[in-house]
Amino acid sequence: MPAALAADAAPANLPSWNDGDVKSAIVDFVTRVTTEGGPDYVAVPDRIAVFDNDGTLWTEQPAYFQALFINDRVRALAPEHPDWKEKEPFASLLKGDVAGVAASGEKGLVELAMATHAGVTTEEFNKIVSDWFATARHPRFDRPYNEITFLPMRELLDYLRANGFKTVSGGGIEFMRPMTEQMYGIPPEQVIGSSITTKYELEGDTPVLMREPTIDFIDDGPGKPVGINKFIGRRPIFAAGNSDGDYEMLRWVTSAPRARFGLIVHHTDGEREWAYDRQSHVGKLDKALTEAPERGWQLVDMKADWNRVYAFEK
Amino acid sequence: MPAALAADAAPANLPSWNDGDVKSAIVDFVTRVTTEGGPDYVAVPDRIAVFDNDGTLWTEQPAYFQALFINDRVRALAPEHPDWKEKEPFASLLKGDVAGVAASGEKGLVELAMATHAGVTTEEFNKIVSDWFATARHPRFDRPYNEITFLPMRELLDYLRANGFKTVSGGGIEFMRPMTEQMYGIPPEQVIGSSITTKYELEGDTPVLMREPTIDFIDDGPGKPVGINKFIGRRPIFAAGNSDGDYEMLRWVTSAPRARFGLIVHHTDGEREWAYDRQSHVGKLDKALTEAPERGWQLVDMKADWNRVYAFEK
């Protein structure tokens, strides 16, 4: 770069990333957008980076963590609902019959979600989620879910923020919000995504927001850019995902003019984490994997690019 | 306060506010929530302040500015829609027949809103709005709309931000977002409120978000706390409004435990701005005015409390 251009980038502190093309591309991008006077300079307010959560910032196996939460909640609530023993999909879930739950289809899954996510105030639900995170443990690693987050991605979040980026993530909004600040340094207002509706009500003379059994918004596929635009109101310059559910987000973010960055976490490590892509029922990565080279999206090969996956590894 | 407690509040720079109860209450509140170790101390991330926009941060007379935008847009688009000359509510609007437009009811108003807000991409709409703000002038003051903002409220926004507050405002999201950073120092992602739906589409091979003629969310009355919770995920500690449409927001914000602040701008100045409250068709302030004393909400008497309303006054 010409001597007149001074990069003011904060140094890349990415110790869990092996040297290689992906790490170089990340550092190069951050340096370019933070180099004042350079052709790719981006003003601080426009430095927005969006991260999918399931499979991108934390593990999504053996099932989405929110599905594991639902499973636990149905069991916890079952004593208050004796009819669930005979009523699908609750009966199958209580018997641990995954195929039976799956047979209830989308309608059944929505019913499970509503039974465990609605009918309480926003503050009650916040406490339910916080308590679950404090006690529940991941079935394979036997550790709290907030430890099943990807250390290299947390380093990446920190690195971007150190360079003036605002980092945003998605997921079930009120499932993620109680935890993201502690886990990722992402405050509640930068968590966007799927939600159910809430309704203003008075409990006696006290206003509350009651969670209603109605879906407000599903944050997946073409809904992702819609949600980002609705919540953030600017097109991000950086997007990270791991599945075809992130395809439209990646397209929308990286098709705008000037410097843009698309990153895909490819789950290639069956030993330390999981290995899956085109055929997976969770986090299927097919179309986005095929198109990554032509679109200029960086593919993270988890096995090769990350020397640590989780912080608890030695 | 005990000598051990040091207030770290940034000084109150509120020159357009006359000394009096409201100004004292504001300064007292900010001092209390920023006094570390004090009983009312609030950590910086929880210092969220929400401001209604129409009638609170800027004028809402002789009509909501977004309605005046709709009026201008229908006229601008009319040559492309010759059928509008015969079709209500467009025909009445083009004739300047306000009563005729009103006779079309809510259905007619929604039709006008959709004809002027949908059918373009988010980026096209952003440009349409920005162009309008650059050229349109307020009918009474003959000045751009961004000058018809209340100087004392802009000072209040600055004062809160200087004390670690995040300031949030509402309104028609994509009508406000192109302007709020410049007008109020509020970035797009802190503008929440009413919106229509958007849809991810490809124009050729380029992804765009197309604005659809469907209402996504109306930010008024009991919808205000719902929208704040959805977008922000925390209950604010400060709320400002000016009408009964802000009643539920004020109740929800100020009913939580610990230090909370509710403020109502009472339009009492028929000379410098407008005077209206209980009987007004725009910004009706009745229930919230009655309950303000018992709820502890501060009533701004525009005529008495503000020595300047707009920055352009001498």
Side-chain angles (χ1 to χ4, degrees), chain A residues 22-300:
Chain A
V22 182
K23 185 175 174 178
S24 298
I26 291 169
V27 175
D28 175 63
F29 173 77
V30 171
T31 306
R32 284 189 292 129
V33 301
T34 54
T35 300
E36 240 175 299
D40 292 325
Y41 179 74
V42 175
V44 167
D46 288 320
R47 294 182 200 164
I48 308 271
V50 285
F51 288 78
D52 167 62
N53 182 45
D54 289 318
T56 300
L57 294 182
W58 71 5
T59 288
E60 61 186 349
Q61 300 281 6
Y64 294 129
F65 294 178
Q66 196 161 358
L68 301 174
F69 165 78
I70 288 173
N71 183 53
D72 288 352
R73 283 303 292 165
V74 168
R75 286 164 198 281
L77 293 167
E80 298 164 35
H81 300 270
D83 58 310
W84 283 359
K85 274 187 199 143
E86 315 290 334
K87 190 181 164 192
E88 291 298 349
F90 301 94
S92 290
L93 186 148
L94 291 170
K95 280 182 280 189
D97 173 4
V98 175
V101 173
S104 72
E106 195 182 316
K107 187 172 164 292
L109 298 178
V110 168
E111 231 176 305
L112 289 170
M114 294 308 156
T116 50
H117 284 68
V120 292
T121 68
T122 50
E123 287 174 8
E124 286 161 353
F125 188 69
N126 187 313
K127 183 173 180 333
I128 289 166
V129 170
S130 301
D131 288 350
W132 183 79
F133 273 106
T135 56
R137 295 177 84 84
H138 187 273
R140 172 171 162 190
F141 299 107
D142 193 26
R143 288 174 176 275
Y145 286 94
N146 61 0
E147 296 187 23
I148 319 300
T149 50
F150 301 134
L151 184 59
M153 296 304 283
R154 287 163 47 195
E155 292 168 0
L156 175 56
L157 288 167
D158 288 341
Y159 173 49
L160 291 173
R161 283 192 293 261
N163 282 288
F165 279 76
K166 182 171 273 195
T167 54
V168 174
S169 187
I173 285 189
E174 289 192 318
F175 179 70
M176 297 311 305
R177 279 181 171 165
M179 294 303 293
T180 52
E181 188 130 45
Q182 177 209 324
M183 289 198 307
Y184 308 133
I186 296 177
E189 62 270 25
Q190 284 158 231
V191 177
I192 67 185
S194 306
S195 58
I196 64 177
T197 58
T198 65
K199 196 176 163 208
Y200 175 89
E201 286 180 5
L202 289 176
E203 277 190 347
D205 194 44
T206 305
V208 296
L209 296 179
M210 188 60 70
R211 291 171 60 79
E212 305 266 287
T214 318
I215 289 174
D216 183 45
F217 184 68
I218 293 285
D219 182 46
D220 198 32
K224 286 205 174 190
V226 166
I228 294 164
N229 178 66
K230 176 157 68 174
F231 278 79
I232 306 297
R234 306 193 215 241
R235 197 188 313 213
I237 65 168
F238 183 110
N242 76 301
S243 78
D244 284 356
D246 303 309
Y247 175 81
E248 286 85 359
M249 172 179 78
L250 285 160
R251 286 289 307 272
W252 183 63
V253 167
T254 61
S255 67
R258 308 186 57 191
R260 305 283 155 162
F261 200 92
L263 181 144
I264 295 174
V265 175
H266 188 189
H267 293 261
T268 53
D269 195 327
E271 285 187 30
R272 293 183 299 175
E273 206 245 1
W274 271 266
Y276 58 98
D277 48 36
R278 296 184 194 273
Q279 309 298 328
S280 179
H281 65 293
V282 168
K284 178 179 166 179
L285 175 66
D286 184 22
K287 189 177 182 185
L289 185 59
T290 302
E291 295 187 18
E294 69 186 91
R295 306 263 176 226
W297 300 334
Q298 293 293 327
L299 272 174
V300 175

Side-chain angles (χ1 to χ4, degrees), chain B residues 111-126:
Chain B
E111 230 176 307
L112 290 171
M114 294 308 154
T116 50
H117 285 67
V120 293
T121 69
T122 50
E123 286 172 9
E124 286 162 354
F125 188 69
N126 186 312

Side-chain angles (χ1 to χ4, degrees), chain B residues 32-77:
Chain B
R32 283 188 293 127
V33 300
T34 54
T35 300
E36 241 176 297
D40 292 325
Y41 179 73
V42 175
V44 167
D46 289 321
R47 293 183 200 162
I48 309 272
V50 285
F51 288 78
D52 167 63
N53 183 45
D54 288 319
T56 300
L57 294 182
W58 69 7
T59 288
E60 60 186 349
Q61 300 281 7
Y64 294 129
F65 293 178
Q66 194 160 358
L68 301 174
F69 165 77
I70 289 173
N71 184 54
D72 288 352
R73 282 302 292 164
V74 168
R75 287 164 198 282
L77 292 168

Side-chain angles (χ1 to χ4, degrees), chain B residues 33-298:
Chain B
V33 300
T34 54
T35 300
E36 241 176 297
D40 292 325
Y41 179 73
V42 175
V44 167
D46 289 321
R47 293 183 200 162
I48 309 272
V50 285
F51 288 78
D52 167 63
N53 183 45
D54 288 319
T56 300
L57 294 182
W58 69 7
T59 288
E60 60 186 349
Q61 300 281 7
Y64 294 129
F65 293 178
Q66 194 160 358
L68 301 174
F69 165 77
I70 289 173
N71 184 54
D72 288 352
R73 282 302 292 164
V74 168
R75 287 164 198 282
L77 292 168
E80 299 165 36
H81 300 270
D83 57 310
W84 284 358
K85 273 187 200 143
E86 314 292 332
K87 191 181 163 193
E88 291 299 348
F90 302 94
S92 290
L93 187 147
L94 291 170
K95 280 181 279 188
D97 172 4
V98 174
V101 173
S104 72
E106 195 182 315
K107 188 173 163 293
L109 297 178
V110 169
E111 230 176 307
L112 290 171
M114 294 308 154
T116 50
H117 285 67
V120 293
T121 69
T122 50
E123 286 172 9
E124 286 162 354
F125 188 69
N126 186 312
K127 183 172 180 331
I128 290 166
V129 170
S130 301
D131 289 350
W132 183 79
F133 273 107
T135 55
R137 296 176 83 83
H138 187 273
R140 172 172 161 190
F141 298 107
D142 192 27
R143 289 175 175 273
Y145 285 95
N146 61 359
E147 295 186 24
I148 319 300
T149 50
F150 301 133
L151 183 59
M153 296 304 282
R154 287 163 48 195
E155 293 168 0
L156 175 56
L157 289 168
D158 288 340
Y159 173 49
L160 290 173
R161 283 193 292 261
N163 282 288
F165 278 77
K166 182 172 273 194
T167 53
V168 174
S169 187
I173 284 188
E174 290 190 320
F175 179 69
M176 296 311 303
R177 278 182 172 164
M179 294 303 294
T180 51
E181 189 130 45
Q182 178 210 323
M183 289 197 307
Y184 307 133
I186 295 177
E189 62 270 25
Q190 283 158 230
V191 177
I192 68 184
S194 307
S195 57
I196 65 176
T197 58
T198 65
K199 196 176 164 207
Y200 175 89
E201 286 180 5
L202 290 176
E203 277 190 348
D205 194 46
T206 304
V208 296
L209 296 178
M210 188 58 71
R211 292 171 59 80
E212 305 266 288
T214 319
I215 290 175
D216 183 45
F217 183 68
I218 293 284
D219 184 46
D220 197 34
K224 286 205 173 189
V226 166
I228 294 166
N229 177 67
K230 176 156 70 175
F231 278 79
I232 306 298
R234 307 191 214 241
R235 197 188 313 212
I237 65 168
F238 183 110
N242 76 301
S243 78
D244 284 356
D246 304 309
Y247 175 80
E248 286 85 359
M249 172 179 79
L250 285 161
R251 286 289 306 273
W252 183 63
V253 167
T254 60
S255 66
R258 308 185 56 191
R260 306 281 154 164
F261 200 92
L263 181 143
I264 296 174
V265 174
H266 188 188
H267 293 261
T268 53
D269 194 327
E271 284 187 31
R272 294 182 299 173
E273 206 244 3
W274 272 266
Y276 58 99
D277 48 35
R278 298 184 193 272
Q279 310 297 329
S280 178
H281 66 292
V282 167
K284 178 180 167 178
L285 175 65
D286 184 21
K287 189 178 180 184
L289 186 58
T290 302
E291 295 187 18
E294 68 186 91
R295 306 260 176 228
W297 299 335
Q298 293 293 326

